[in-house]
């Protein structure tokens, strides 16, 4: 199985690049942000809970997020592999993911991190707010909070994968296709 973690700060282009990788490799895409947003629009209990955190630019609690992700993985037993987008976002989530994958007889192949300067991120999120209507992109205070949470809680997840020699960086600037090509090259070099 090919199991990838696509990593990067809010606005790095994880969603856009995930689509490219899925088309190329036939993986199942699991975006925790998208799953939360679907639950919010369907007004599920999970959605009501997640909304409180998302609207403040905070992370949804680990336990809730981990349970949700595991049940999504379990829906796709026969897949060729997964691309995790927006997960793991804390070291606790990374540890839970490793345990869970190993209980399924598989593992994470690698983490691919998209690197984009903060100024460019803010511009992209502002633009996305206009196109997508995402309320967490529309408010500068929430954006600043998400970037702060990323730096404090999520960036350390890089160290977790570095320690396992599974960490790869990609420059997240340039055209969508150029970035996709860099990602494919990395995948080819690690997939074995
Ligand atoms: P972005 O990467 O642009 O911030 P996402 O769509 O990945 O957007 O996530 C939107 C929001 O959903 C996050 O700000 C956070 O509140 C919540 N969220 C997504 N993934 C996780 C996760 N793994 N753990 C906790 N909260 C999450």
């Amino acid at each position: 199985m090919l199991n990838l973690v696509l990593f990067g700060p809010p606005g790095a282009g994880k969603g856009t690049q995930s689509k490219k990788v899925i088309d190329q490799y036939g993986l199942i895409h699991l975006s925790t942000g998208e799953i939360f947003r679907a639950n919010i629009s369907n007004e599920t209990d999970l959605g009501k809970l997640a909304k409180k955190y998302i609207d403040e630019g905070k992370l949804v609690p680990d336990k809730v997020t981990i349970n949700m992700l595991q049940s999504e993985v379990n829906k796709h037993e026969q897949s060729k592999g997964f691309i995790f987008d927006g997960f793991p976002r804390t070291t606790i989530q990374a540890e839970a993911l490793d345990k869970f994958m190993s209980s399924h007889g598989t593992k994470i192949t690698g983490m691919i991190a998209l690197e984009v300067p903060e100024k460019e991120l803010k511009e992209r999120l502002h633009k996305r707010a206009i196109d997508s209507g995402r309320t967490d992109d529309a408010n500068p205070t929430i954006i600043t909070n998400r970037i702060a949470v990323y730096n404090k809680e999520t960036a350390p997840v890089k160290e977790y994968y570095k320690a396992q020699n599974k960490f790869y960086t990609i420059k997240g600037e340039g055209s969508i296709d150029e970035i996709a090509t860099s990602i494919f090259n990395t995948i080819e070099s690690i997939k074995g």
Side-chain angles (χ1 to χ4, degrees):
M1 271 176 112
L2 176 64
N3 297 308
L4 301 170
V5 173
L6 194 60
F7 191 78
K14 298 185 294 287
T16 307
Q17 293 300 333
S18 289
K19 291 195 184 77
K20 295 274 175 189
V21 177
I22 298 154
D23 289 348
Q24 185 81 4
Y25 292 96
L27 305 178
I28 300 286
H29 179 215
L30 291 182
S31 157
T32 40
E34 268 177 25
I35 302 167
F36 285 136
R37 282 189 289 280
N39 275 277
I40 292 171
S41 27
N42 292 330
E43 299 181 358
T44 67
D45 287 344
L46 174 64
K48 284 177 199 150
L49 185 142
K51 188 173 183 338
K52 288 190 209 140
Y53 295 92
I54 292 176
D55 282 353
E56 290 184 25
K58 292 182 181 163
L59 294 182
V60 178
D62 281 334
K63 204 165 171 235
V64 176
T65 306
I66 291 165
N67 285 341
M68 173 190 86
L69 185 100
Q70 293 183 345
S71 69
E72 291 294 326
V73 171
N74 285 335
K75 288 182 191 166
H76 303 278
E77 291 281 359
Q78 300 304 322
S79 97
K80 286 195 212 164
F82 293 90
I83 178 157
F84 298 103
D85 161 5
F87 185 94
R89 250 175 161 101
T90 63
T91 305
I92 291 175
Q93 293 180 11
E95 286 165 357
L97 181 61
D98 269 356
K99 271 200 200 122
F100 181 66
M101 294 310 262
S102 98
S103 75
H104 283 250
T106 183
K107 58 183 177 3
I108 294 297
T109 313
M111 164 183 270
I112 298 179
L114 292 170
E115 306 226 307
V116 180
E118 190 162 320
K119 185 167 169 285
E120 164 94 14
L121 292 176
K122 288 190 174 166
E123 284 166 13
R124 288 188 191 177
L125 291 174
H126 181 68
K127 207 167 149 260
R128 184 168 79 184
I130 298 166
D131 301 336
S132 74
R134 268 179 63 170
T135 49
D136 61 340
D137 286 344
N139 179 327
T141 314
I142 300 178
I143 291 180
T144 302
N145 210 6
R146 281 159 61 203
I147 295 175
V149 168
Y150 171 81
N151 288 328
K152 182 164 176 279
E153 298 184 52
T154 305
V157 177
K158 290 181 198 173
E159 305 306 320
Y160 183 86
Y161 289 95
K162 273 184 202 166
Q164 298 187 14
N165 289 322
K166 288 183 182 173
F167 179 73
Y168 306 89
T169 52
I170 301 278
K171 189 164 156 279
E173 290 172 287
S175 75
I176 291 175
D177 285 335
E178 275 163 7
I179 301 166
T181 303
S182 310
I183 295 176
F184 295 164
N185 289 340
T186 301
I187 295 173
E188 287 305 315
S189 71
I190 64 177
K191 80 180 167 56

